[in-house]
């Protein structure tokens, strides 16, 4: 890591730490959401940016873990210390099943994950005796661990920030590990990876489950922030938006999904304040992103920098 | 006598009613250098694909050092000692040269599953990768992304990948394809200099290269073996001249 | 026993509708390698146009043709100016067409509102038909089965018995082949995608008369169509027929026997299929 990036990271971290003091509750809330959905986008990007698999079912893990936490805490009075891990386990178990999708590639993988996503949404929506139907599960408390309890949105923001930084550091190790290199190898040429001795199906399956576990963790953070969960959390637009965030920000990076999440959520907030058709605006963003920024903003920045450097070199005598 | 390095019997591969490989019998003793020749469409690459597990054969059996591997998936065959190169360069363009080599080294190694430590912490892998690059004449290019190196260097990398899976039997599918005469010479010298304990199977179009390297030659035509012999026997055979040189 | 028979008929009539939608989806993938996630939105939009036309003219036939034709126009524009620019990048196609679907869905919401709306079926199709065994069944859904069979037969003839179909089939197998025949590929693509759009819009009108139209219907129906093509195999017309029947019947019995888990009943077969035939019943390498 070069110095500029360390400095940039520290400045960003300092700005994030100081945020509640200069920005007020609205922006702190938005920043919390940005971190949570950025984490979801990061989980999608483990498959998309590193392994080359485009999953559209990640809202499933996110929602199943959120529902598990909510139902355990609200209906059975289970403590956070048990409910939160149970949520991650439930989402990860689902990922163990849905991971079957790695038997397929390309279009089939995309279509099958979409179908899987709708199964979970359908159950959340129709099994109302257990999931609460369209109303979902409400009155989820802030998390509390023994004597330590979160009591305000500001405190929760710090908790989420800490969790996201920890995940980001862990993720960094993962993608630089031999396993992570293997994923990038599969993305570049699966046939060569097989001939080098890699069991690529299992490799991708493991990545799928890890990615599902990370999405589940984001689901836990989400339900404690949101205070309720309903079928919207499991819906297709959540999965697509998570992918869009990763793409807008820049796939294959760690910061990209968070930048993308900030842009998407910020834009939605801004647009919905004066324009009713905000879903249409999101649709337009999709279209624009595909047509004009397929490498995302991080990629766009890289291209611009390269162009400027070229211009500078050309300017030299 | 110990089992042959490779024993292929009655191997066939049918594509939509058309037999690309049609009852091939092939036995290669350990340590031999065997070159496969034959006109375009003779089924050489398909035969390679079936032997190394890229394609599933329609019928027949393949044994590696006496062990039946016909039903084993490709990665298991690699673990048992098959290594191969591809006719159409098949490397990882997005990764650096050293990362390419690291994948070859890790592929047959349990360390490929390590998730909690950065690759940079494995000094031995890095050292081995640098040695592997040096061995094929790519020293000093380790941290260059492959998409920025020349075609010739990619062909060298292609060979390096196969060599670093610690193969006992090496399958080279036209290693010199698309190279300039000077580059061809360099690659064939490299192949000639490989340790003799590696059994070698090579598809080659260039007859001079082929006959210069081979201990024995197998001629394939329309999915069948039509002749097997020493380079001199093959050179002298009139049937081979008809099907092979007649098409050239 | 009677209910079991009823559910079978329900399943087959849903299958007829799903086939209308899925056949277009699968053909445009087969020939043009285009994954168009806006197909569900085409269905909904065609349905709404048909609804308005049926109210204005009182004719169901006008509604069907008008709904289909409106989608042909929109589909052509989307194809030409958006989808074509993605080349053969499926990821980009999926994102782009999902975006298109969001836009269409939201605009439709603004124009037609959020209520469940029903396309008015013609008078002679209202009421019930009495089937052997004193089974009363809605006339409309019963006739829909025959309509589905009729369209299926037409498509099959078009696909297997005409020159156009032969070219399309050749294109599904190997696109180079079509280029080599000297046929105007561009025009062929426009025709096939127009046909797919028309089928989707028509399906919206037909489906809107018994499933009703509402915001979100586009995704529900799309997922059914996706399952149909996953089961049948992308690019296969026969696969779409068989897949539609399987999905229609599973859905009908699922809703009847396990109402809260009917999606699960659909999911089981996909999971099994994926283990043994990852490319569907009639799927090929792509």
């Amino acid at each position: 890591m070069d110095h500029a990036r360390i400095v940039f990271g520290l400045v960003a971290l300092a700005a994030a730490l100081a945020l509640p003091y200069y920005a007020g509750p609205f922006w702190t809330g938005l920043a919390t959401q940005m971190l949570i959905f950025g984490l979801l986008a990061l989980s999608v990007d483990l498959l998309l940016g590193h392994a080359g698999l485009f999953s559209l079912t990640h809202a499933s893990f996110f929602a199943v873990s959120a529902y598990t936490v909510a139902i355990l805490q609200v209906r059975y009075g289970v403590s956070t210390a048990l409910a939160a891990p149970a949520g991650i386990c439930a989402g990860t178990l689902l990922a163990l099943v849905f991971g079957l999708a790695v038997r397929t590639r390309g279009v089939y993988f995309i279509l099958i994950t979409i179908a899987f996503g709708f199964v979970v949404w359908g159950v959340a929506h129709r099994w109302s005796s257990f999931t609460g139907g369209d109303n979902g599960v409400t009155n989820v408390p802030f998390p509390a661990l023994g004597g330590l309890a979160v009591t305000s949105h500001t405190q929760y923001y710090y908790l989420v920030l800490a969790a996201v930084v920890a995940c980001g550091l862990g993720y960094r190790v993962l993608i630089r590990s031999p396993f992570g290199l293997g994923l990038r190898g599969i993305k570049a040429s699966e046939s060569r990876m097989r001939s080098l001795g890699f069991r690529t199906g299992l490799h991708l399956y493991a990545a799928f489950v890890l990615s599902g576990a990370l999405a589940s963790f984001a689901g836990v953070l989400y339900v404690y922030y949101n205070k309720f969960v309903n079928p919207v959390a499991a819906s297709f637009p959540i999965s697509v938006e998570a992918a869009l965030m990763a793409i807008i920000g820049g796939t294959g990076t760690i910061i990209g999904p968070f930048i993308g999440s900030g842009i998407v959520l910020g834009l939605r907030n801004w647009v919905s304040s004066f324009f009713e058709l905000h879903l249409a605006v999101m649709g337009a963003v999709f279209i624009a992103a595909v047509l004009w920024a397929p490498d995302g903003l991080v990629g766009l920045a890289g291209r611009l920098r390269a162009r400027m450097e070229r211009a500078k070199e050309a300017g030299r005598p | 006598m110990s089992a042959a390095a490779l024993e292929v019997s009655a191997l066939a591969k049918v594509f939509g009613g058309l037999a690309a490989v049609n009852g091939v019998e092939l036995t290669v003793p350990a340590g031999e250098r065997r070159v496969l020749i034959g006109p375009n469409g003779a089924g050489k690459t398909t035969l390679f694909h079936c032997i190394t597990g890229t394609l599933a054969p329609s019928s027949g059996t393949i044994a590696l050092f006496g062990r039946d591997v016909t039903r084993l998936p490709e990665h298991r065959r690699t673990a048992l000692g098959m290594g191969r190169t591809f006719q159409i360069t098949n490397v990882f363009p997005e990764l650096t040269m050293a990362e390419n080599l690291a994948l070859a080294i890790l592929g047959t190694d349990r360390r490929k599953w390590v998730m909690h430590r950065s690759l940079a912490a494995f000094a031995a892998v890095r050292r081995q990768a640098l040695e592997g690059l040096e061995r094929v004449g790519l020293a000093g290019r380790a941290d260059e992304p492959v998409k920025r190196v020349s075609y010739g260097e990619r062909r060298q990398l292609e060979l390096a990948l196969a060599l670093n899976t610690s193969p006992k039997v090496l399958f080279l599918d036209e290693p010199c394809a698309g190279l300039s005469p000077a580059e061809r010479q360099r690659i064939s010298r490299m192949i000639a200099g490989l340790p003799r304990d590696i059994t070698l199977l090579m598809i080659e179009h260039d007859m001079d290269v082929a006959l210069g390297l081979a201990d024995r030659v197998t001629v394939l035509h329309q999915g069948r073996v039509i002749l097997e012999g020493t380079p001199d026997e093959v050179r002298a055979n009139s049937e081979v001249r008809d099907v092979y040189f007649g098409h050239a | 026993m009677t209910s079991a028979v009823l559910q079978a008929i329900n399943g087959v009539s849903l299958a007829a509708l799903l086939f209308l939608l899925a056949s277009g989806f699968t053909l445009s993938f087969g020939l043009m390698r285009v994954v168009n996630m806006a197909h569900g939105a085409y269905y909904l939009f065609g349905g709404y146009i048909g609804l308005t036309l049926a109210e204005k003219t009182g004719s169901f036939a006008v509604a069907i043709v008008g709904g289909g034709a409106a989608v042909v126009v929109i589909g052509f524009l989307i194809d030409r100016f958006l989808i074509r620019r993605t080349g053969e990048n499926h990821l980009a196609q999926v994102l782009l067409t999902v975006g298109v679907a969001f836009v269409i869905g939201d605009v439709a919401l603004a124009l037609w509102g959020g209520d469940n709306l029903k396309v008015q079926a013609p008078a002679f199709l209202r009421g019930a038909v009495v089937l052997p065994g004193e089974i009363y069944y809605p006339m409309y859904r019963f006739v829909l089965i025959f309509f589905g069979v009729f369209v299926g037969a037409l498509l099959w003839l078009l696909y297997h018995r005409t020159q156009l179909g032969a070219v399309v089939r050749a294109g599904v197998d190997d696109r180079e082949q079509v280029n080599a025949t000297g046929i105007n590929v561009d025009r062929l693509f426009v025709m096939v995608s127009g046909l797919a759009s028309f089928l989707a819009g028509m399906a919206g009108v037909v489906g809107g008369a018994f499933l009703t139209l509402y915001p979100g219907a586009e995704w529900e129906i799309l997922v059914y169509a996706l399952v149909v093509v996953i089961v049948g195999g992308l690019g296969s017309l026969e696969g779409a027929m068989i897949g539609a029947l399987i999905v229609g019947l599973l859905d009908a019995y699922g809703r009847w026997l396990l109402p809260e888990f009917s999606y699960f009943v659909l999911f089981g077969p996909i999971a099994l299929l994926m283990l043994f035939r990852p490319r569907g019943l009639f799927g090929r390498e792509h």
Side-chain angles (χ1 to χ4, degrees), chain A residues 74-125:
Chain A
V74 174
R75 234 177 264 157
Y76 300 99
V78 174
S79 70
T80 304
L82 283 176
I88 296 173
C89 286
T92 310
L93 277 177
L94 187 71
L96 283 167
V97 179
F98 283 9
L100 275 179
V102 303
R103 295 259 309 156
T104 63
R105 298 284 182 279
V107 191
Y108 268 89
F109 183 84
I110 300 177
L111 298 188
I112 282 168
T113 54
I114 293 172
F116 281 172
F118 270 89
V119 173
V120 173
W121 174 83
V123 171
H125 176 68

Side-chain angles (χ1 to χ4, degrees), chain A residues 48 54 56 97-98 100-101 103-104 107-108 110-112 114-116 118-119 121-123 126-129 236-237 240 247 277-280 283-284 286-287 290-292, chain C residues 29 35 37 82 85-86 90-92 94-96 98-100 102-103 106 110 219-220 223 226-227 230 233-234 255 259-264 267 270 274-275 278-279 283:
Chain A
L48 181 60
F54 185 30
L56 283 174
V97 179
F98 283 9
L100 275 179
R103 295 259 309 156
T104 63
V107 191
Y108 268 89
I110 300 177
L111 298 188
I112 282 168
I114 293 172
F116 281 172
F118 270 89
V119 173
W121 174 83
V123 171
R126 287 203 190 138
W127 191 14
S128 39
S129 57
F236 180 62
V240 194
I247 290 168
L277 299 180
H278 60 268
L279 205 56
F286 275 59
I287 297 169
V290 170
L291 295 184
W292 292 298
Chain C
F29 179 81
V35 188
M37 299 294 295
L82 298 176
R85 297 180 55 180
T86 61
H90 294 310
L91 193 157
V94 168
L95 275 180
L96 181 103
V98 163
V100 168
F102 281 170
V103 174
D106 224 17
W219 296 112
E220 290 182 33
V223 170
L226 290 186
V227 177
I230 292 168
L234 265 171
R255 276 172 197 269
E260 289 181 325
F261 296 101
S262 54
Y263 273 98
F264 247 63
F267 158 84
I270 312 179
M274 232 165 27
L275 278 175
R279 290 185 182 277

Side-chain angles (χ1 to χ4, degrees), chain C:
Chain C
M1 185 59 215
T2 312
S3 321
V5 175
L6 264 182
Q7 295 309 333
I9 307 175
N10 265 340
V12 176
S13 89
L14 179 65
L17 178 69
L18 291 178
F19 172 74
L20 291 184
L21 194 61
S23 57
F25 187 94
T26 210
L27 279 183
S28 55
F29 179 81
L31 183 63
M32 293 162 286
R33 302 283 185 273
V34 163
V35 188
N36 190 347
M37 299 294 295
H39 238 78
Y42 287 3
Y43 165 95
L44 187 69
F45 185 74
Y48 276 132
I49 294 280
L51 175 105
T52 302
L53 284 174
E55 276 170 4
K56 292 268 153 57
T57 66
S59 160
F60 193 62
V62 169
I64 285 187
V65 174
V71 173
V72 170
V73 174
I74 288 205
F76 173 77
L77 296 174
I78 290 168
D79 225 44
R80 166 96 353 156
F81 295 109
L82 298 176
I83 295 178
R84 187 150 312 176
R85 297 180 55 180
T86 61
E88 289 205 359
N89 180 347
H90 294 310
L91 193 157
Q93 282 172 3
V94 168
L95 275 180
L96 181 103
T97 51
V98 163
V100 168
F102 281 170
V103 174
I104 294 178
D106 224 17
V107 170
L109 174 65
L111 292 176
W112 283 280
D115 296 329
N116 284 27
L117 301 175
K118 196 167 183 176
V119 180
Q120 197 62 253
F124 71 97
L125 290 179
R126 292 176 214 159
V129 60
V130 186
L131 300 173
E134 291 290 296
I135 298 173
Y136 283 78
Y137 193 78
M139 177 66 106
Y140 182 83
R141 296 200 59 169
F142 190 66
V143 172
L144 175 59
I145 296 175
F146 294 97
F147 185 66
V149 171
F150 172 69
V151 173
L154 274 187
L155 284 178
W156 193 87
L157 286 175
L158 186 69
Y159 202 56
H160 289 281
R161 291 283 180 274
T162 67
Q163 180 125 38
L164 181 70
V167 176
V168 173
R169 269 182 292 137
V172 171
D173 285 339
D174 177 8
R175 293 182 60 177
E176 300 300 313
Q177 233 177 323
V178 181
N179 292 330
T181 54
I183 281 173
N184 186 336
V185 180
D186 216 40
R187 212 167 60 201
L188 179 73
F189 281 15
V190 169
M191 282 165 76
V192 172
S193 96
L195 178 66
S197 299
F198 186 84
L199 287 167
M202 180 172 76
V205 184
V206 171
F210 72 102
L211 294 176
T212 74
L213 303 167
Y214 49 89
E218 73 265 45
W219 296 112
E220 290 182 33
I221 198 84
L222 180 73
V223 170
Y224 277 87
L226 290 186
V227 177
V228 168
V229 295
I230 292 168
V231 170
L234 265 171
S236 158
L237 189 65
E238 288 81 0
M241 292 179 187
I242 307 281
L245 268 178
I246 293 174
V247 171
L249 288 170
L250 279 175
D251 183 69
Y253 284 103
R255 276 172 197 269
W256 178 42
L257 299 170
L258 292 165
E260 289 181 325
F261 296 101
S262 54
Y263 273 98
F264 247 63
V265 177
L266 277 180
F267 158 84
I270 312 179
L272 279 181
L273 201 72
M274 232 165 27
L275 278 175
F276 300 108
R277 279 197 73 97
R279 290 185 182 277
L281 295 174
F282 296 85
R284 274 184 282 241
E285 291 286 322
H286 286 300

Side-chain angles (χ1 to χ4, degrees), chain A residues 120-147:
Chain A
V120 173
W121 174 83
V123 171
H125 176 68
R126 287 203 190 138
W127 191 14
S128 39
S129 57
F130 186 67
T131 63
D134 280 343
N135 297 322
V137 186
T138 52
N139 294 321
V140 179
F142 271 128
L145 255 181

Side-chain angles (χ1 to χ4, degrees), chain A residues 9 14 30 67 147 150 162 182 187 191 208 234 275 277 287 293 295 314:
Chain A
L30 194 63
Y67 267 104
V150 173
K187 185 184 181 193
S191 60
F208 191 97
F275 193 51
L277 299 180
I287 297 169
D295 308 326

Side-chain angles (χ1 to χ4, degrees), chain A residues 170 173-174 176-182 184-186 188-200 202-203 206 210, chain B residues 74-75 78 84 86 90-92 94-95 99 102-104 106-108 111-119 122 158 161 165:
Chain A
V173 174
L174 177 70
R176 285 159 181 247
S177 70
F179 177 80
L181 181 65
R184 285 188 287 149
I186 294 172
S189 171
E190 190 174 348
S191 60
R192 178 51 116 170
M193 286 295 278
R194 278 202 215 102
S195 82
L196 291 181
F198 283 86
R199 197 169 166 188
T200 56
L202 192 62
H203 219 93
L210 280 172
Chain B
E74 194 169 3
H75 68 269
T78 306
R84 73 166 294 184
F86 290 80
N90 193 352
V91 295
F92 310 105
E94 287 84 358
L95 308 181
E99 284 171 332
L103 284 174
L106 291 166
T108 46
R111 282 174 296 181
K112 67 186 161 193
W113 295 110
V114 169
M115 300 176 183
H116 62 278
R117 279 175 71 195
S118 171
L119 181 65
F122 295 88
E158 178 80 38
L161 287 182
T165 59

